[in-house]
Amino acid sequence: MAAALQVLRHLARAPLGPLLWGGPLARLASSMALAEQARQLFESTVGAVLPGPMLQRVLSLDPDSGELKVRDRSFQLRQNVYLVGFGKAVLGMATAAEELLGQHLVQGVISVPKGIRAAMEHAGKQEMLLKPHSRIQVFEGAEDNLPDRDALRAALAIRQLAEGLTADDLLLVLISGGGSALLPAPIPPVTLEEKQTLTKLLAARGATIQELNTIRKALSQLKGGGLAQAAYPAQVVSLILSDVVGDPMEVIASGPTVASTHSVQDCLHILNRYGLRAALPRSVKTVLARADSDPHGPHTCGHVLNVILGSNALALAEAQKQAEVLGYRAVVLSTAIQGDVKSVAQFYGMLARVAGARLALPGTGASVEEDDRLCELAADLQLPDLQLKEALEAVVGAQGPVCLLAGGEPTVQLQGSGKGGRNQELALRVGAELGQWPLRTVDVLFLSGGTDGQDGPTEAAGAWVRPELTSQAAAEGLDVATFLAHNDSHTFFCRFQGGAHLLHTGLTGTNVMDAHFLFLQPQ
């Protein structure tokens, strides 16, 4: 087995040439090598947005003068720095920040996912771990990315620290994906359980991350600029690792250092859209009725500097570079993939068909009907940055293998009680779509993975699929349609070929949404 893995890793260093296609065994070897390349490319994508290196690119400290530079702004440090943070990448960010700030850091409080310190230690990622005598207090909570009592205790400790600051202090705020669940501080009389129930109902009905965060902000003491208000009159520097399409700072972790621009009417519109307004708890109605259309945070945050550290676009730029090193013609389709996972899967399935036909038969391509259908599916998704025409032109001009890259965060409308996550469900749905459009002269592989390493309440980051998935699953007695009907993608991939198609990375210590790779390899 070890020898076979060595061979696969050797094959993964270069595109798969024609000599590999000499028979069934050679085709199996090339298929496995393509999967290994996909895994390696995903690891490179995640590596580009690890918190430590990103933070060091933005912050610099002159040890002699004590001047801290944050891009083009300067702050004078006099052992007056306090630190708070919340999110899946914050442990590594805090470790790098404390090392940089040294004695200037007085105190810190961070809220991070349950089990992340043990996971980092187990993975040997010492650079993500605070030193034994750190001045930063760590709270772990939000198991399965859901707010809980542990996260509430962390949020209250963060609020207490912020409220005790003076005009002479500097508050460094570290924010990353998962920050909303790790900073729950409902406005009384709303309870954590009531807020959590409402969030779950909205998510189950397909609400977008923007819609979820609008509701969270309206019911929170710290989101929507609440943390910035609590820290006033201290200066605030907020370093943000984006996990939201388009990197809107007011949406990431529900914008705790950005004044909210949403009104109560916006909240009511969202609740009406998903049929939840009539079922609201009395406490939620009380809080919404008490608020007016003005932001509950400060109207302006003149004492705050918000900086985006990293994003999905940065990660995909690195993936594109690495794919080209491997010999692929690589194109970034979009960093704003959103919408229902079914629609996204149909788009990727038809894209594979149309692009694959162009690659297999240069100068001919897919039928007019298929081209039109692809354009319709793309239009339905309403992706502002979609480079579809450029991608198809690149496929036509390619002399070899092609890798189409995209990122974002599709949504899943829950219908069953199975176990899974949006990446595994997307991969399974794309696998089913690919099976309907066999391309006999082009090898196809699709991978979807969450850059945080955890797809939903599972230990997998995502999964990869090929056109043979449906037929191979049927041979094992697994019906893809049944698993999809129950939103049970993780169970499917655990059973299918012994779990070989699952993408396992462990918690990565970062989070910039999801990465999608579509590989097309001429035979």
Side-chain angles (χ1 to χ4, degrees):
M1 184 65 185
L5 190 58
Q6 267 191 329
V7 170
L8 290 180
R9 285 178 176 158
H10 171 72
L11 291 171
R13 294 191 191 106
L16 311 176
L19 292 177
L20 288 175
W21 300 97
L25 185 59
R27 174 154 187 167
L28 175 62
S30 68
S31 171
M32 294 174 71
L34 183 56
E36 180 66 16
Q37 283 187 344
R39 292 176 189 273
Q40 287 183 5
L41 193 60
F42 183 76
E43 289 176 5
S44 297
T45 305
V46 171
V49 285
L50 289 177
M54 282 191 302
L55 188 136
Q56 289 162 7
R57 285 197 292 266
V58 172
L59 292 184
S60 63
L61 176 65
D62 185 328
D64 297 324
S65 66
E67 184 181 67
L68 177 70
K69 281 201 170 181
V70 186
R71 292 213 167 133
D72 59 347
R73 290 276 298 275
S74 296
F75 300 87
Q76 188 60 48
L77 305 190
R78 296 179 297 274
Q79 297 184 349
N80 59 340
V81 183
Y82 294 79
L83 181 151
V84 298
F86 29 91
K88 296 177 180 179
V90 159
L91 184 61
M93 293 168 76
T95 301
E98 183 169 30
E99 185 175 343
L100 175 79
L101 295 170
Q103 295 300 310
H104 291 291
L105 179 64
V106 180
Q107 182 189 355
V109 178
I110 61 173
S111 178
V112 296
K114 189 174 291 295
I116 192 166
R117 284 179 293 182
M120 294 296 109
E121 192 166 349
H122 180 72
K125 296 181 178 179
Q126 296 301 316
E127 72 279 5
M128 296 278 191
L129 295 169
L130 294 166
K131 299 294 187 289
H133 302 294
S134 170
R135 299 182 181 188
I136 299 172
Q137 184 180 10
V138 181
F139 289 83
E140 292 192 1
E143 193 166 11
D144 293 333
N145 203 29
L146 295 171
D148 55 20
R149 289 284 160 189
D150 291 329
L152 177 59
R153 279 192 286 272
L156 296 179
I158 286 170
R159 187 188 69 180
Q160 185 178 21
L161 185 152
E163 289 177 339
L165 300 180
T166 72
D168 294 326
D169 297 322
L170 173 67
L171 179 65
L172 186 63
V173 183
L174 308 176
I175 302 175
S176 76
S180 282
L182 287 159
L183 194 72
I187 299 172
V190 178
T191 67
L192 178 63
E193 290 74 20
E194 287 171 333
K195 189 177 176 185
Q196 187 173 345
T197 298
L198 181 57
T199 303
K200 278 184 180 178
L201 286 170
L202 283 165
R205 297 189 185 194
T208 66
I209 186 68
Q210 290 87 345
E211 290 170 329
L212 288 172
N213 284 353
T214 297
I215 300 298
R216 286 168 174 154
K217 285 191 282 189
L219 303 177
S220 172
Q221 300 177 57
L222 296 176
K223 293 162 185 167
L227 177 58
Q229 187 178 36
Y232 186 83
Q235 289 184 297
V236 178
V237 173
S238 187
L239 303 179
I240 305 166
L241 185 59
S242 173
D243 72 329
V244 181
V245 167
D247 308 329
M249 290 188 284
E250 72 277 8
V251 175
I252 302 163
S254 305
T257 57
V258 183
S260 177
T261 57
H262 295 290
S263 68
V264 172
Q265 291 307 312
D266 293 327
C267 297
L268 295 177
H269 179 70
I270 292 167
L271 294 167
N272 280 332
R273 179 181 301 166
Y274 296 103
L276 292 173
R277 185 172 177 180
L280 289 179
R282 183 183 299 274
S283 60
V284 174
K285 291 179 181 176
T286 298
V287 168
L288 292 179
R290 224 162 40 195
D292 56 26
S293 59
D294 290 329
H296 65 258
H299 288 278
T300 59
C301 288
H303 63 303
V304 179
L305 172 64
N306 289 302
V307 178
I308 296 288
L309 271 185
S311 64
N312 190 265
L314 179 67
L316 288 184
E318 178 63 22
Q320 181 181 26
K321 189 189 307 178
Q322 291 301 319
E324 288 171 348
V325 168
L326 288 169
Y328 287 87
R329 179 73 172 88
V331 179
V332 176
L333 272 171
S334 169
T335 61
I337 299 292
Q338 295 184 96
D340 184 74
V341 70
K342 295 179 188 176
S343 302
V344 176
Q346 289 174 345
F347 168 72
Y348 280 134
M350 186 56 69
L351 175 62
R353 171 67 178 170
V354 171
R358 279 171 162 76
L359 192 62
L361 300 168
T364 56
S367 68
V368 172
E369 292 81 5
E370 288 170 344
D371 281 352
D372 289 345
R373 179 59 180 151
L374 177 61
C375 291
E376 287 173 11
L377 291 168
D380 288 345
L381 290 176
Q382 298 182 336
L383 306 177
D385 66 341
L386 183 63
Q387 304 294 306
L388 182 58
K389 181 182 175 184
E390 292 80 356
L392 293 177
E393 287 174 353
V395 169
V396 171
Q399 300 297 310
V402 172
C403 180
L404 303 179
L405 309 113
E409 197 166 277
T411 53
V412 177
Q413 294 196 36
L414 297 176
Q415 297 171 315
S417 56
K419 187 175 184 180
R422 62 178 177 267
N423 287 284
Q424 290 164 83
E425 174 132 351
L426 176 60
L428 187 54
R429 288 189 179 279
V430 171
E433 292 287 335
L434 293 175
Q436 298 177 31
W437 310 98
L439 290 163
R440 305 201 192 290
T441 58
V442 176
D443 203 22
V444 180
L445 183 144
F446 176 81
L447 178 147
S448 181
T451 56
D452 61 353
Q454 183 179 33
D455 185 34
T458 77
E459 293 183 356
W464 59 272
V465 294
R466 294 169 50 76
E468 301 85 3
L469 177 132
T470 302
S471 59
Q472 290 176 345
E476 294 185 28
L478 303 172
D479 180 53
V480 170
T482 300
F483 284 95
L484 285 173
H486 293 91
N487 299 115
D488 205 15
S489 55
H490 184 66
T491 304
F492 171 85
F493 281 115
C494 284
R495 294 181 185 174
F496 179 54
Q497 296 186 352
H501 287 243
L502 283 169
L503 181 64
H504 283 289
T505 61
L507 292 175
T508 62
T510 191
N511 183 22
V512 291
M513 299 185 289
D514 305 332
H516 307 152
F517 303 152
L518 179 62
F519 294 86
L520 300 164
Q521 171 76 52
Q523 295 181 15

